[in-house]
Amino acid sequence: MFLDILYRVGLTPKEYLLKYVLPALVISTVLIVIGLTYFTGYAKILMLLIPVLILISAIGYPLIELDSQKNKINEKLHIFITKFGVLSITDLDRKELIKMLASEKEELGQLAEESRKIYVLIKRWNQSLAEACRFLAQKTPSSVFADFLDRMAYSLDSGEDLKEFLMKEQSIVMNDYAAFYKRALYNLDIFKEMYISGITSLAFFVTFAVIAPFIINYNFVTSVTLAIFGSIVFEICLVYIIKHKMPSDRLWHTANTLTAVDRKLRKYLIISIILTLLFMGVLLGGKYIANIPELQKIPYQILVALGFTPLFIAGYVAKKEENLVIRKEFHFPGFLRSLGESVSAKGGGMTESLKYLSSHDFGPLTKDLERLYKRVAVRIDNQKAWKLFGVETCSYLIQLFSEMFERCVFLGGDAGKASEIIGDNFRKIINLRKSKYQSVEQFTSIVYGLAGGLALALFASYGVAYMVNKLYNTLEIPEAMATIINIMTPGDLTLISYLMYGCLLIYSLISAYLIKVVDGGHPQVLLYHFVIMVWISSLVSFGTELLINKMLGANIPIY
């Protein structure tokens, strides 16, 4: 069975042993020797755990890769079935149809590789399409795709036309994709709970690291640094898991061409970075180097938040453009259905139909339609005109499906049927995305709340530790008690507040990145969330210090 898995992921036993198992054994052996020779205590245990993880990863690589291939197939099913159905209504024969699907590696990903396997079985091994589908259904890692191949094989063997079969399969496969998508959203809810539990546990862990030096003979800075480092590693691992478990659902286009919107976003990003460097340099330099009295009266948390604030400009502009793209996607199915019906009614008058529709209001999509009509009316290169239309909308889905529609019409397909297939499937995807956006908004609110909660927990523990340490230094403690209680000077705790605030900044950055991983939007929008969480963390941390000073009289230096 394990050998079958190796072959399914494209590895022979020899390649698997030489490329994965053997290097893992060598590296693990070296790390074990180093750990036993040069390390002691907890560091030794950590060094011995790393080889175990490396070996487990190497041995389990085929299973991990097989699961990855399954997810890659499932997340592209909606594009595959739409493209397959649209191309089937053209004059292409079956072999050329499968060959065209196999060539769409960027659009279909792993499904293009699966299509290539079918094409090889048909062309080189002289199998029929039904036989090739039945054979691949036993090898593909996705049960949903395997069921589709089995149904297609049965249908072709019974003499049903491929075009008719694919028309019927549109709703079936899209329902399968919807079920996969909803499972992913359910997993997101589970990841939310994991993230809340993880951050809450980490807050307790760091709090314990602050209190622990009063009980055991351990340095404050060392204990807090180790706790913060462990929390950062945990957050990164959790982000990695979520990123690879959530299906890819891009919002922004993937073309190499820079659109006017891309140039606009890049311009604001450069301006924001320059302003941030200037603001941060002036504020922190003025406070700690030039000793400007006005700046010395401002807490360092507020100064850092002010320094990062210019990044909000680039994030806000990107978020505004992202919302515009989402609105364009809502209008696209209606436009395409109208265009397809108009072209079919006029017997192929694409230019006249576009001219008529470009004068109608399709919301933010209207300007893109006007540019599309002008390019098509010039009659130089319709394919490039449609490609530019998809790219300039900045929507990944519009980019894919508009090119799909143009290709079908160019190859002689019925524009009405093509627009009906694409429009229906596009609308189903949009409806699924609405649920995702709602779930992401809830997740964003949770992350914002955790930023404030984490800041409160960390700086409350810091305030208590500062007060207790100050109290110990004012008391005459007997020698017997001094052997139990570890006493540090108050000055040593100043660095602790900076370390904790640094932990909050890193949390804000990682969480902002996680939000963009989940919603699939433009990466620049993470700056928007990052700045908001920095301000939440800064205000809560400063407010906590003020509250501790007022309630406990700790006299924490907050400026």
Side-chain angles (χ1 to χ4, degrees):
M1 181 179 178
F2 190 75
L3 290 177
D4 183 55
I5 293 175
L6 286 179
Y7 289 122
R8 288 169 70 177
V9 297
L11 287 174
T12 63
K14 183 179 179 181
E15 289 175 335
Y16 170 61
L17 292 174
L18 292 178
K19 290 183 179 180
Y20 298 98
V21 177
L22 186 60
L25 282 173
V26 173
I27 295 172
S28 299
T29 303
V30 172
L31 290 176
I32 289 172
V33 172
I34 293 174
L36 293 174
T37 306
Y38 298 103
F39 291 87
T40 58
Y42 291 110
K44 183 177 181 180
I45 295 174
L46 180 62
M47 284 299 296
L48 295 178
L49 281 175
I50 293 175
V52 175
L53 293 175
I54 293 174
L55 282 174
I56 292 174
S57 300
I59 294 172
Y61 171 77
L63 295 173
I64 296 171
E65 179 62 20
L66 193 67
D67 185 67
S68 175
Q69 288 185 9
K70 181 186 74 174
N71 287 332
K72 288 177 181 177
I73 290 173
N74 290 341
E75 69 189 19
K76 295 285 187 178
L77 272 175
H78 59 302
I79 300 175
F80 173 81
I81 192 61
T82 306
K83 194 173 190 67
F84 203 177
V86 168
L87 291 178
S88 70
I89 62 178
T90 64
D91 297 328
L92 293 173
D93 60 30
R94 294 179 179 181
K95 188 183 293 185
E96 287 299 316
L97 180 57
I98 299 299
K99 182 180 180 181
M100 185 171 289
L101 292 174
S103 65
E104 302 290 350
K105 294 181 179 179
E106 184 178 352
E107 292 183 16
L108 300 178
Q110 185 62 33
L111 280 165
E113 176 63 20
E114 301 296 304
S115 301
R116 187 193 65 81
K117 294 175 183 178
I118 296 177
Y119 179 73
V120 169
L121 289 170
I122 295 173
K123 184 173 177 62
R124 295 186 182 179
W125 296 92
N126 294 321
Q127 292 190 356
S128 66
L129 179 56
E131 292 171 336
C133 290
R134 192 173 287 110
F135 177 82
L136 187 62
Q138 300 174 357
K139 304 294 182 183
T140 185
S142 170
S143 59
V144 177
F145 186 58
D147 291 341
F148 166 75
L149 292 175
D150 281 331
R151 289 195 301 270
M152 187 160 72
Y154 299 146
S155 174
L156 295 175
D157 280 341
S158 64
E160 185 177 8
D161 185 64
L162 179 62
K163 185 190 304 183
E164 295 177 1
F165 167 76
L166 290 173
M167 293 303 105
K168 296 176 183 176
E169 282 293 307
Q170 295 297 316
S171 60
I172 297 174
V173 176
M174 286 303 298
N175 288 337
D176 289 337
Y177 174 73
F180 164 75
Y181 201 96
K182 289 175 182 177
R183 283 196 303 270
L185 292 181
Y186 175 74
N187 290 336
L188 177 59
D189 291 334
I190 296 175
F191 289 137
K192 286 181 195 174
E193 301 299 327
M194 289 176 58
Y195 203 69
I196 294 171
S197 302
I199 298 301
T200 305
S201 301
L202 291 174
F204 173 78
F205 184 51
V206 177
T207 301
F208 176 77
V210 175
I211 305 300
F214 291 107
I215 304 172
I216 58 176
N217 188 16
Y218 213 75
N219 184 271
F220 269 107
V221 176
T222 303
S223 63
V224 174
T225 302
L226 288 175
I228 291 174
F229 176 76
S231 67
I232 293 170
V233 171
F234 175 82
E235 287 181 51
I236 293 173
C237 291
L238 194 57
V239 169
Y240 179 82
I241 293 171
I242 294 174
K243 183 177 180 180
H244 285 79
K245 285 296 181 182
M246 289 296 295
S248 176
D249 187 23
R250 295 182 61 93
L251 174 68
W252 211 258
H253 74 90
T254 58
N256 295 325
T257 307
L258 279 177
T259 66
V261 175
D262 291 324
R263 287 191 289 270
K264 175 183 175 182
L265 295 182
R266 179 176 291 185
K267 180 186 73 173
Y268 277 101
L269 178 61
I270 294 172
I271 292 173
S272 296
I273 291 174
I274 293 173
L275 289 177
T276 298
L277 293 175
L278 289 175
F279 272 46
M280 195 70 76
V282 170
L283 293 172
L284 297 183
K287 180 180 176 69
Y288 294 105
I289 299 176
N291 297 320
I292 299 174
E294 291 78 8
L295 292 178
Q296 287 183 325
K297 295 178 181 179
I298 303 176
Y300 73 89
Q301 297 102 319
I302 305 301
L303 286 181
V304 172
L306 286 170
F308 278 123
T309 298
L311 293 176
F312 186 81
I313 300 171
Y316 176 77
V317 173
K319 185 172 178 61
K320 188 176 178 181
E321 293 294 336
E322 191 178 85
N323 291 335
L324 201 62
V325 171
I326 293 173
R327 289 177 57 203
K328 287 180 182 180
E329 290 183 342
F330 290 157
H331 287 280
F332 180 74
F335 152 72
L336 199 64
R337 290 289 292 267
S338 300
L339 178 62
E341 292 171 0
S342 178
V343 172
S344 295
K346 294 180 180 180
M350 179 71 75
T351 306
E352 293 76 10
S353 299
L354 280 173
K355 180 180 180 181
Y356 172 72
L357 290 174
S358 62
S359 63
H360 286 65
D361 183 19
F362 286 98
L365 196 63
T366 305
K367 292 183 179 179
D368 297 296
L369 296 179
E370 291 173 355
R371 287 194 292 268
L372 173 63
Y373 162 66
K374 291 175 183 178
R375 290 183 181 128
V376 171
V378 175
R379 300 181 185 275
I380 295 177
D381 189 342
N382 281 4
Q383 186 175 357
K384 189 174 182 180
W386 276 92
K387 185 174 182 179
L388 286 172
F389 163 72
V391 172
E392 288 180 349
T393 62
C394 296
S395 166
Y396 176 66
L397 285 180
I398 295 179
Q399 176 192 351
L400 285 182
F401 288 104
S402 60
E403 291 182 32
M404 202 181 295
F405 175 76
E406 189 280 330
R407 178 74 63 86
C408 174
V409 175
F410 176 76
L411 294 173
D414 186 287
K417 289 183 179 179
S419 65
E420 182 180 354
I421 295 171
I422 295 174
D424 288 345
N425 291 352
F426 198 101
R427 199 172 294 281
K428 290 176 182 177
I429 297 169
I430 294 301
N431 290 333
L432 289 172
R433 280 191 171 184
K434 287 180 181 179
S435 301
K436 185 187 77 169
Y437 294 144
Q438 183 179 3
S439 186
V440 170
E441 286 179 4
Q442 295 172 354
F443 182 65
T444 303
S445 301
I446 289 171
V447 169
Y448 285 177
L450 285 174
L454 187 60
L456 177 64
L458 294 185
F459 277 83
S461 63
Y462 163 69
V464 172
Y466 190 92
M467 183 197 68
V468 173
N469 198 58
K470 182 181 177 181
L471 177 63
Y472 283 174
N473 280 273
T474 60
L475 299 175
E476 294 183 2
I477 301 177
E479 293 183 5
M481 185 65 68
T483 59
I484 300 174
I485 301 176
N486 181 42
I487 303 174
M488 305 294 294
T489 61
D492 292 328
L493 293 182
T494 307
L495 180 60
I496 302 299
S497 66
Y498 295 142
L499 289 173
M500 288 184 169
Y501 187 68
C503 177
L504 294 174
L505 293 179
I506 295 173
Y507 165 82
S508 300
L509 182 61
I510 293 175
S511 298
Y513 173 73
L514 182 57
I515 291 171
K516 299 321 297 172
V517 166
V518 171
D519 73 2
H522 196 284
Q524 193 168 311
V525 183
L526 74 84
L527 298 176
Y528 173 88
H529 299 291
F530 171 69
V531 173
I532 291 177
M533 280 186 278
V534 167
W535 270 105
I536 292 173
S537 302
S538 300
L539 292 174
V540 172
S541 59
F542 173 61
T544 302
E545 288 182 333
L546 287 177
L547 189 63
I548 292 293
N549 280 345
K550 186 173 182 180
M551 293 179 63
L552 303 179
N555 294 323
I556 302 172
I558 59 178
Y559 296 104

